[in-house]
Amino acid sequence: MDYPTRWNSCRIAIALALVPALSLAQTPAPPPAAPPPATAPAAPAAAPISKEQLEQLLAPIALYPDSLLSQVLMASTYPADVADAAKWVKAHPDSKGDAAVKAVQDQSWDPSVQSLAAFPQVLDMMGGQPDWVQKVGDAFLASSKDVLDAVQRLRQKAQKAGNLKSSEQQKVIVEQEPTTQQTIITVEPAQPETVYVPAYNPTVVYGAWPYPSYPPYYYPPSPYYYPGAALATGIAFGIGVAAVGSIWGGCNWGGGDVNINVNKYNNINSNRQISNTKFEHNSGNRRGVPYGDQASRQKYGSKGVGDASARNDYRGRDAQRQQAQSSLQSRGMDPSQGRSELRNDPAARDRANQAAQGSVREGGATGGGRESAGARDREGGAAGGGRDSAGARDRASGASDSALRGAGDAGEARQQADRGGASRASAASHGGGARASQAGGGMRGGGGGGGRGGGGGRR
């Protein structure tokens, strides 16, 4: 083989040898493996409520008769129902006892809440303290035993101070619980068929309060139910309530839960028969009110979130506002924007002013509705005689503030603006409104036909 031939052969061999290396060099390196996703830290469990906080919370009701106390604890787990029952009591202040319970049998409230219709003074107090009601219910759901233990500690304090003793209205019994050998103080009606609800000042009846950082809650009783009651010392009682069938609960001090007298329960709750002898929380009647601890949310939360509107109802929010929000939502509108947008966005404020005018003209349900009739009269005056259209605008602008306060957020105002714009457009097409008054009826003090310059109109 001659030299050129050998050289060509070498070149071919070298090229073939370099092909794999070049291929490897041109192949992009694989991307580095992504690091494993960081595990989100577990949410810290809510700290259990302390003994001091429990006693602070339960101080207003710890001296109730055992049967009534048990039903207050059960009912407090349904704050929205309690709010509705409190409204019913205000509308029927003289209804009480078994007759009142039968009168609310068709209500959707839980039977424990219905039973409190027998005691309007109790629902009157609970209806005025929705946040307290929810806290009591959440504490009871979290640990009924801790709640009942706190009640016993409070009763011991009141007895030691000389303020918890037997009387014409109640029997106070001290005994050993056979299961736990714990000293238990029970409170029962002196007459089984008549229940007296005690009223007292917790800062007095328990003696020197041992927890300065957690002073006891105190809700003075209504003079309507406790006329002339003197709470400076001891315990006062109102009028006895005849409640034979309405009381079907009881405190199981040894077991740390609440018993149910099935026969008495089924006798008065004929449309809701049960067989269980222990309280079982019905999450369906929670009506969207959130639970206070993680364990309760996991156990009940997924079943009790159907009616979110009740979250506001049980706090006493105005039903008219709720109706307005529901109306907006039914139209696919979002009423959830905050008021801060009004403060930061001049255009939003303008839309809000326009919304208020539209809301007033339509008899809007959100805050400005009470002035709607007068506003319509003023608008009619502007259309026919042109009287003080500028003042009407000022009043409408002022009404916008009222409307916004009633609506509670800028989102509603923006949606009302659309309705207001449509209303104004309709008025303009029919010759109405302040501008029409300038063209057709003259301004303030104006005479006959013509515009701003016509017929003696104001120049």
Side-chain angles (χ1 to χ4, degrees), residues 360 363 368-379:
V360 167
R370 288 191 295 270
E371 301 296 333
S372 58
R376 284 195 298 271
D377 292 341
R378 292 192 296 271
E379 183 180 15

Side-chain angles (χ1 to χ4, degrees), residues 63-67 163-172 187-199 226 235-241:
L63 304 187
Y64 281 10
D66 291 16
S67 54
N163 294 321
L164 181 60
K165 50 192 174 183
S166 296
S167 64
E168 295 180 1
Q169 294 85 11
Q170 65 183 14
K171 292 191 299 183
V172 178
V187 180
E188 299 176 357
Q191 303 173 20
E193 296 182 355
T194 304
V195 179
Y196 290 86
V197 182
Y226 295 88
I235 301 174
F237 294 94
I239 300 174
V241 176

Side-chain angles (χ1 to χ4, degrees), residues 54 123 127 138 141 144 171 214 236 251 278 292-293 317 331 364 371 402 421 423 451 455:
L54 279 173
L123 277 177
D138 287 341
L141 289 176
S144 57
K171 292 191 299 183
Y214 301 97
C251 296
K278 299 291 184 183
D293 64 281
R317 303 289 175 83
R331 301 176 186 179
E371 301 296 333
S402 174
S423 177

Side-chain angles (χ1 to χ4, degrees), residues 31-54:
T39 303
I49 187 170
S50 67
K51 292 181 179 181
E52 295 82 2
Q53 290 171 308
L54 279 173

Side-chain angles (χ1 to χ4, degrees), residues 3-91:
Y3 177 79
T5 302
R6 285 199 305 272
W7 172 241
N8 289 336
S9 299
C10 289
R11 285 195 303 173
I12 294 173
I14 292 172
L16 291 175
L18 291 176
V19 167
L22 291 174
S23 299
L24 289 175
Q26 295 172 358
T27 301
T39 303
I49 187 170
S50 67
K51 292 181 179 181
E52 295 82 2
Q53 290 171 308
L54 279 173
E55 292 182 31
Q56 175 192 45
L57 191 62
L58 298 166
I61 57 174
L63 304 187
Y64 281 10
D66 291 16
S67 54
L68 177 58
L69 171 66
S70 67
Q71 295 188 204
V72 170
L73 292 175
M74 289 186 284
S76 65
T77 66
Y78 308 105
D81 283 358
V82 168
D84 287 346
K87 293 176 184 177
W88 187 92
V89 163
K90 285 186 179 296

